[in-house]
Amino acid sequence: MTVPPGKDPAPAPPGMLPAPEIAAILSGTHSNPFAVLGVHAAGKTYVARCFVPGAETVIAETLSGKELGTLERRDEAGFFEGPVALRKEQPIRYRARNDGGEWTVIDPYSFGPVLGPMDDYYIREGSHLRLFDKMGAHPIRHDGAEGFHFAVWAPNARRVSVVGSFNDWDGRRHVMRLRVDTGIWEIFIPGVPVGTPYKYEIVDSNGTLLPLKADPFARRSELRPDTASMTADEIAQNWEDEAHRRHWAEIDPRRQPISIYEVHAASWQRRDNGDMLTWDELAERLIPYCVDMGFTHIEFLPISEYPYDPSWGYQTTGLYAPTARFGEPEGFARFVNGCHKVGIGVILDWVPAHFPTDEHGLRWFDGTALYEHADPRQGFHPDWNTAIYNFGRQEVVAFLVNNALYWAEKFHVDGLRVDAVASMLYLDYSRKHGEWVPNEYGGNENLEAVRFLQTMNTRIYGIHQGVLTIAEESTSWPKVSHPVHAGGLGFGFKWNMGFMHDTLQYLSREPVHRKFHHNDMTFGLLYAFSENFVLPLSHDEVVHGKGSLIAKMAGDDWQKFANLRAYYGFMWGYPGKKLLFMGQEFAQWREWSEDRGLDWNLLEYNLHEGMRRLVRDLNGTYRSKPALHARDCEGDGFEWLIADDRENSVFAWLRKAPGEKLVAVVTNFTPVYREHYDIPLPVAGRWKEVLNTDAEIYGGSGKGNGGAVHAEKRANGETIATITLPPLATLMLEQD
């Protein structure tokens, strides 16, 4: 409808829309298209209005095809309006024609809302625990039509539209309905197929059109470098893991063997042409490998959608979408199911601390600091150039808590390892004086983040018994793995970063100097039972110039391998659950890189294959001997035998569990072969040598005790075993 300059538009016919409102619809500036588009009462009759670009004629019909009337074209851009033969408001469709042919459009504005008042209530309260079923894009049947329901939180936006290939990315076509009480926009769009790219077109409160935004709740995304969200079916997986899940729900994980293989899915192995493996290909290779190696869990670096490969997934733009790098989300569900069928758990690295500033992501989502703090002293992370979530906003907390629940429910994951917890807990983390805002009491503790973590852990453990949460927390914050009701953060476990730092520092020293740093190996036992610890030799230790674990060891090549074997034996005998990053089980020389597969060819060499066999046997011994795992988190499961032989750099302790055979762990961290070395043991008699890291099968020198040692009670009342200590080796001796 074109009006000559200086003239007022002609008045609309009775019951028809005024020209300014039509112009607002066509320009995408109408404040509430649902008030005018679709079917509306006009006195005792009903009128239908639609915007169908490119149409020359439009006939209104019921969804079953009954003709209701021909609409008048009020504007050449494609605005149609006219009376329809209806007795009530109901969904309708339009048969549109032009010179190119005929097509049918179901009117999204003739459908009522999908969300209800109870959703509004729980969302406002911050207690909605099924947002992942309500927000984002979900296939539903609504008032007789199949399509997708879209919902997104953008309380400060003037307009939000769904755009995609189904509407030529035209933001005027599917403007959403605002639920004023919650700031959530929603619309049901009939006929949208599964696998369709879409984004949200948002106009901020000032009328500025923002960059297109991906869906924060998208359950599937395009493959990078494309950044659109994709419509997805609900996960249809025939789960065969009841026994696995029931086991972990019924036991105390602190008293179970937990040995975790940390994996970066994009670089564990690659195809011959360098392409990444799909989830199904990973299942064929990785699951049998972990079964053979004796690991109890696989922990993946973040697999939620992320735009930049070198971030390893730690800068995610799609917390609800398994990355498209490895195929569709159903592939990941099949992978988890396959793991569970053979008794392997799956843990995901989860990143609720921060998010990247890519324009299609959460940053400045509706033209305001919505997910992040507006104050950069609280909302911007200087180390990573990322935005920090606003943990004081209940909608943000609900978004994150629901995400944790989502992975547990929809994909049956066994645990979440929460990244960068220390950066969340401290307001002055990596900030100088004056660059941070104190809390209400003047301290540096982020009380809002504390409450978020406590809420998240309470919800996870309350709803999904058997799912673990593990904190990567590098400071001495108290009670990280203590229950919330006891003043703790509520995590199941905490990474023992001190163990990793101290022991690697010790092993990097030449053996002749180790006696001066004996405390590096004993200090950890002062706090070993203050938390439920996981001992991590993680990806962080083998990147950014730090070198691989084998490269960190002191000495020539023979000593490096012997040191690492002795270290692994020491660690598997030490109290705490175990974690080892991929490639370190066969002593890869090269530092890890995310853009290539591991150096599997090294297994052709005896020393590397020997290391792999050792890790496999350590896992087997750890899992089969309750003394080595059943009291990992309790002081009564550990007793020093030799703690102060710094001259010889020898350490020995006892591992024990009620009613189980005792296991003694003895480590010689010098290359000196020691015969006739006395160690105290609590029981006289024969002790089997159940593991020796110097065995020839592991690439060692083959020194040892012929399979057993004998402890005898001496005149002074002590029970002593005189043993042979191989060079740079760890022995495990079990009471016979």
Side-chain angles (χ1 to χ4, degrees):
M1 179 181 297
T2 304
V3 179
K7 291 194 175 183
D8 294 330
M16 305 295 262
L17 202 65
E21 288 215 64
I22 295 176
I25 292 290
L26 298 180
S27 65
T29 59
H30 198 286
S31 61
N32 183 14
F34 275 90
V36 294
L37 295 177
V39 178
H40 296 274
K44 295 183 179 180
T45 62
Y46 286 88
V47 64
R49 305 185 187 99
C50 62
F51 174 37
V52 185
E56 295 177 358
T57 63
V58 165
I59 298 173
E61 301 176 337
T62 64
L63 296 184
S64 61
K66 179 183 176 181
E67 189 169 313
L68 301 173
T70 300
L71 307 187
E72 176 187 344
R73 185 165 73 162
R74 298 284 310 279
D75 193 283
E76 294 177 354
F79 187 86
F80 292 83
E81 181 178 26
V84 287
L86 287 174
R87 295 184 178 179
K88 62 178 182 178
E89 294 183 13
Q90 67 182 66
I92 63 173
R93 70 185 191 189
Y94 306 110
R95 188 151 35 91
R97 292 195 187 96
N98 61 19
D99 291 341
E102 181 177 289
W103 68 99
T104 299
V105 178
I106 300 178
D107 186 354
Y109 292 96
S110 64
F111 291 84
V114 173
L115 299 178
M118 292 309 295
D119 292 312
D120 291 341
Y121 175 82
Y122 289 118
I123 288 170
R124 288 279 293 173
E125 191 179 61
S127 61
H128 204 307
L129 298 180
R130 300 204 65 82
L131 286 178
F132 46 80
D133 285 336
K134 302 291 185 177
M135 303 294 290
H138 292 273
I140 63 170
R141 183 173 180 82
H142 185 44
D143 287 345
E146 304 284 346
F148 269 84
H149 174 249
F150 297 85
V152 65
W153 179 53
N156 304 302
R158 179 179 295 182
R159 168 171 71 79
V160 181
S161 304
V162 184
V163 295
S165 55
F166 50 85
N167 63 12
D168 297 323
W169 300 89
D170 185 344
R172 302 171 299 168
R173 303 265 291 274
H174 292 104
V175 179
M176 305 174 80
R177 172 192 281 113
L178 173 63
R179 303 184 71 84
V180 177
D181 287 346
T182 59
I184 290 173
W185 300 73
E186 69 164 334
I187 190 171
F188 171 71
I189 306 179
V192 175
V194 169
T196 302
Y198 73 95
K199 282 186 175 180
Y200 293 113
E201 181 180 284
I202 299 177
V203 176
D204 72 12
S205 59
N206 298 317
T208 303
L209 184 65
L210 303 178
L212 294 181
K213 292 291 188 177
D215 189 343
F217 280 88
R219 295 172 294 116
R220 184 181 170 194
S221 298
E222 285 187 307
L223 177 63
R224 51 95 176 94
D226 295 323
T227 57
S229 304
M230 297 185 74
T231 57
D233 248 330
E234 304 299 336
I235 296 295
Q237 171 62 43
N238 178 28
W239 292 102
E240 303 163 282
D241 60 353
E242 182 181 353
H244 173 88
R245 300 185 87 199
R246 184 172 61 249
H247 166 77
W248 285 98
E250 293 175 351
I251 54 83
D252 181 350
R254 297 173 304 165
R255 295 181 171 179
Q256 293 293 305
I258 295 179
S259 182
I260 302 167
Y261 188 49
E262 190 187 30
V263 173
H264 179 250
S267 62
W268 180 71
Q269 284 186 4
R270 292 281 181 100
R271 295 177 185 161
D272 291 342
N273 63 1
D275 288 348
M276 297 176 188
L277 302 179
T278 65
W279 284 119
D280 291 328
E281 290 170 324
L282 277 165
E284 292 175 359
R285 304 184 190 188
L286 180 56
I287 296 175
Y289 181 76
C290 288
V291 170
D292 177 62
M293 289 296 294
F295 288 103
T296 64
H297 291 74
I298 299 169
E299 179 179 314
F300 285 111
L301 273 61
I303 64 159
S304 50
E305 194 56 76
Y306 58 102
Y308 185 51
D309 285 10
S311 81
W312 314 332
Y314 287 99
Q315 296 199 11
T316 179
T317 51
L319 270 181
Y320 285 80
T323 176
R325 288 166 175 79
F326 316 121
E328 298 181 359
E330 288 78 8
F332 179 59
R334 289 192 297 272
F335 180 91
V336 175
N337 188 59
C339 285
H340 288 181
K341 287 168 68 175
V342 294
I344 292 177
V346 177
I347 300 170
L348 299 185
D349 270 16
W350 187 54
V351 191
H354 61 117
F355 58 89
T357 57
D358 300 62
E359 66 176 15
H360 70 280
L362 298 179
R363 183 91 185 277
W364 219 249
F365 190 79
D366 64 356
T368 67
L370 193 61
Y371 285 88
E372 71 275 24
H373 280 277
D375 188 334
R377 294 175 298 172
Q378 297 172 278
F380 185 75
H381 202 295
D383 287 354
W384 304 317
N385 291 319
T386 53
I388 299 171
Y389 286 104
N390 185 349
F391 301 112
R393 193 159 194 168
Q394 63 184 16
E395 295 92 343
V396 175
V397 169
F399 170 74
L400 294 170
V401 169
N402 270 267
N403 186 249
L405 298 174
Y406 169 79
W407 289 104
E409 176 169 326
K410 301 296 186 181
F411 292 99
H412 288 202
V413 301
D414 299 87
L416 297 174
R417 175 266 192 187
V418 183
D419 180 63
V421 171
S423 75
M424 301 166 67
L425 293 175
Y426 297 96
L427 294 165
D428 60 347
Y429 184 89
S430 203
R431 297 179 189 273
K432 299 175 183 176
H433 181 70
E435 296 178 348
W436 58 282
V437 180
N439 64 30
E440 59 193 278
Y441 304 108
N444 67 340
E445 302 87 358
N446 190 334
L447 303 179
E448 294 170 343
V450 169
R451 285 191 286 270
F452 157 67
L453 292 171
Q454 291 175 327
T455 300
M456 181 274 297
N457 282 313
T458 300
R459 296 301 190 190
I460 279 282
Y461 281 104
I463 296 173
H464 296 287
Q465 293 82 11
V467 173
L468 311 175
T469 61
I470 305 168
E472 186 221 6
E473 203 286 307
S474 55
T475 74
S476 56
W477 186 281
K479 296 186 175 182
V480 171
S481 59
H482 290 225
V484 172
H485 65 77
L489 295 182
F491 284 96
F493 292 92
K494 171 182 172 173
W495 271 20
N496 191 337
M497 311 291 276
F499 169 87
M500 171 272 298
H501 176 269
D502 292 347
T503 55
L504 286 179
Q505 179 175 265
Y506 179 89
L507 270 296
S508 69
R509 303 182 190 279
E510 293 294 335
V512 69
H513 300 303
R514 288 176 180 170
K515 62 184 177 182
F516 303 111
H517 303 278
H518 198 74
N519 189 53
D520 285 347
M521 304 302 270
T522 59
F523 177 72
L525 271 304
L526 295 178
Y527 61 85
F529 308 107
S530 62
E531 302 276 4
N532 304 323
F533 279 123
V534 172
L535 311 179
L537 294 178
S538 76
H539 65 279
D540 279 331
E541 303 315 308
V542 295
V543 290
H544 299 326
K546 295 179 183 177
S548 62
L549 291 185
I550 186 69
K552 294 177 192 292
M553 300 295 111
D556 57 23
D557 282 0
W558 186 92
Q559 288 196 12
K560 286 181 183 294
F561 277 91
N563 268 308
L564 189 57
R565 289 194 302 268
Y567 181 36
Y568 286 165
F570 180 95
M571 173 174 159
W572 260 254
Y574 194 95
K577 310 309 178 186
K578 325 303 175 189
L579 180 141
L580 187 64
F581 184 58
M582 64 182 199
Q584 310 314 304
E585 77 276 16
F586 60 81
Q588 173 165 304
W589 278 108
R590 283 200 297 181
E591 185 176 84
W592 169 62
S593 171
E594 80 282 343
D595 62 2
R596 62 171 183 258
L598 299 178
D599 297 332
W600 293 99
N601 61 300
L602 292 177
L603 290 174
E604 299 172 10
Y605 301 95
N606 182 55
L607 286 173
H608 294 279
E609 170 61 14
M611 192 71 72
R612 187 196 68 81
R613 289 179 178 177
L614 172 64
V615 172
R616 180 190 62 189
D617 289 353
L618 282 169
N619 278 332
T621 304
Y622 170 68
R623 295 177 66 171
S624 64
K625 311 295 183 187
L628 290 174
H629 65 251
R631 291 295 185 269
D632 262 336
C633 305
E634 299 162 72
D636 61 3
F638 177 91
E639 180 184 332
W640 277 114
L641 297 174
I642 299 174
D644 55 0
D645 186 5
R646 63 180 62 246
E647 284 300 318
N648 295 312
S649 297
V650 171
F651 305 84
W653 61 77
L654 207 61
R655 295 300 308 278
K656 47 192 177 178
E660 302 291 345
K661 292 183 177 181
L662 303 171
V663 174
V665 180
V666 189
T667 300
N668 174 16
F669 275 129
T670 69
V672 178
Y673 171 56
R674 303 187 189 282
E675 295 183 292
H676 311 299
Y677 188 90
D678 288 347
I679 65 165
L681 289 171
V683 179
R686 185 174 185 268
W687 288 66
K688 292 184 295 184
E689 190 177 75
V690 294
L691 191 133
N692 178 354
T693 66
D694 193 49
E696 290 182 358
I697 193 174
Y698 305 138
S701 63
K703 302 292 191 295
N705 294 277
V709 303
H710 290 270
E712 298 177 348
K713 196 156 191 174
R714 297 189 176 176
N716 61 3
E718 293 182 339
T719 302
I720 301 293
T722 301
I723 68 172
T724 295
L725 277 184
L728 293 173
T730 295
L731 306 176
M732 291 187 182
L733 309 171
E734 183 184 49
Q735 174 190 2
D736 201 351

